[in-house]
Amino acid sequence: MVILGIETSCDETSAAVVKDAQQVLSQVIASSLKQHAAYGGVIPEIASRAHLGSITYVVDQAMQEAHVGPGQIDAVAVTQGPGLIGSLLVGISFAKALGRGWAKPVIGVNHVKAHLYAAFIEEPPIYPFVGLVVSGGHTSLYKVKKFGSEDVIGSTRDDAAGEAFDKVAKILGLGYPGGPIIEKLAQSGRKDAFRFRCDCSGLDFSFSGIKTAVLYKAQELKKLYGPLSQETTADLCASFQDAVVGDLVAKAMKAVASCGARALVVGGGVAYNNYLRGRLSQAVRPGSVKLCVAPKPYCLDNAAMVASFAARLPRIQRTCGSVRLDPLLG
């Protein structure tokens, strides 16, 4: 089965062609990130306009690189939420137009669940597993017994992890997006220079407090010593990153133990972070459970995960007839 995937939930316009859920024939991404950098975050109106300007080219390029035509596509999959409503509507409208013009079914895909299964684009799923989706907008733990049975067992009570990285980067005057900048600076910093922690019980997350702690510490240091030095900034980044990653890893492993999972599956934009990937590898003991982290090309928002997830849906596997989007969006 060959599926064209379309992703426009935030600032990336992406299209991909995926065969049988695990063979990515093509993936094209156009990002409007540079247009948002000056504002320190994604501006919804700019994002939706960028999608309008890119989507035709991106879809056409994905089809060309996959060497397929409309007749070889079995279905069109599109992110239907969560995300920025203006951005989502661009992708949904385009997908529905293709479905109508090509007489193909159109499948709405949940963005977060697509991230959850992105680790299985290149390998078969392992059930039961605990899934950690960690991105700019979401930080959640899932207990997954089988496909279609994804139960939330932990989530953020305020900021998502990626959002906290962006806000801390803004506090330190580092620019946007914050994740890559903080990761780079943290490499030369001391993770034990400052004592930060994430306070939240159980399997839930909270990153608003640590963001505020960094703010107060930065203000204190500036009052005492003047502008932050590069060394001090690196130490703040390293200490902050270590605390956030430590919390993510500890709670993921706690969930694995309590659920009797065979695998720990990790996806989302923050899963691109090498420090997180390294700490996860250290935490998972060989022979206990399998660690499945989404390959880097499928961590950030992308259409391959959308198409791959759609291909696993039972309704697609049963029929090639018309498949409706969510009624609210259809």
Side-chain angles (χ1 to χ4, degrees):
M1 178 171 293
V2 178
I3 293 184
L4 169 67
I6 296 175
E7 156 64 29
T8 62
S9 66
C10 192
D11 61 319
E12 276 93 15
T13 310
S14 180
V17 179
V18 176
K19 182 179 180 181
D20 298 331
Q22 291 180 251
Q23 185 180 355
V24 180
L25 303 181
S26 68
Q27 174 158 269
V28 179
I29 300 175
S31 176
S32 59
L33 187 61
K34 291 183 179 180
Q35 299 178 51
H36 303 286
Y39 303 96
V42 175
I43 306 301
E45 179 66 17
I46 293 176
S48 58
R49 288 180 179 273
H51 289 308
L52 283 170
S54 301
I55 193 164
T56 300
Y57 166 79
V58 166
V59 170
D60 183 62
Q61 189 68 20
M63 296 284 284
Q64 288 188 38
E65 291 184 10
H67 303 290
V68 298
Q72 295 163 282
I73 297 294
D74 294 300
V76 179
V78 60
T79 300
Q80 68 174 19
L84 302 175
I85 187 63
S87 296
L88 289 168
L89 285 173
V90 174
I92 291 168
S93 300
F94 198 87
K96 291 174 71 176
L98 290 180
R100 179 67 63 88
W102 295 350
K104 303 294 182 180
V106 178
I107 302 92
V109 169
N110 181 285
H111 178 78
V112 179
K113 289 186 178 180
H115 272 307
L116 181 61
Y117 283 88
F120 298 129
I121 291 178
E122 296 179 352
E123 59 180 277
I126 301 171
Y127 299 106
F129 69 81
V130 163
L132 171 64
V133 175
V134 54
S135 67
H138 310 279
T139 304
S140 301
L141 281 166
Y142 292 83
K143 178 181 179 181
V144 184
K145 296 180 180 178
K146 60 180 181 179
F147 186 86
S149 176
E150 298 88 14
D151 298 322
V152 178
I153 56 175
S155 60
T156 181
R157 296 183 180 181
D158 39 61
D159 294 349
E163 182 181 0
F165 271 86
D166 288 337
K167 289 181 176 178
V168 166
K170 188 172 183 178
I171 288 168
L172 299 177
L174 301 177
Y176 176 84
I181 302 171
I182 288 177
E183 181 184 2
K184 183 177 181 179
L185 288 175
Q187 292 174 2
S188 60
R190 294 177 297 129
K191 64 182 181 181
D192 59 350
F194 303 99
R195 187 175 181 181
F196 298 128
R197 62 182 184 181
C198 303
D199 291 322
C200 195
S201 60
L203 295 177
D204 281 345
F205 301 96
S206 174
F207 301 109
S208 179
I210 190 173
K211 169 205 67 182
T212 304
V214 174
L215 172 63
Y216 288 164
K217 178 57 67 174
Q219 290 176 339
E220 176 189 338
L221 292 170
K222 288 177 183 178
K223 186 176 181 179
L224 290 172
Y225 307 110
L228 299 177
S229 67
Q230 186 172 351
E231 180 181 354
T232 300
T233 301
D235 287 345
L236 285 167
C237 289
S239 300
F240 164 76
Q241 178 180 253
D242 183 69
V244 171
V245 168
D247 190 55
L248 292 169
V249 173
K251 288 180 178 174
M253 295 307 299
K254 182 178 179 180
V256 166
S258 64
C259 294
R262 294 178 57 208
L264 171 59
V265 178
V266 186
V270 180
Y272 199 96
N273 182 290
N274 288 316
Y275 188 69
L276 172 59
R277 297 169 86 95
R279 287 285 297 273
L280 286 167
S281 296
Q282 293 171 5
V284 176
R285 300 190 308 274
S288 56
V289 297
K290 184 172 182 179
L291 175 62
C292 302
V293 183
K296 285 193 171 184
Y298 312 128
C299 286
L300 304 177
D301 292 347
N302 66 91
M305 69 180 189
V306 175
S308 176
F309 182 84
R312 301 181 193 277
L313 291 169
R315 58 181 175 174
I316 281 298
Q317 297 172 0
R318 287 196 303 264
T319 179
C320 288
S322 176
V323 180
R324 294 180 61 82
L325 283 167
D326 186 303
L328 293 177
L329 298 176

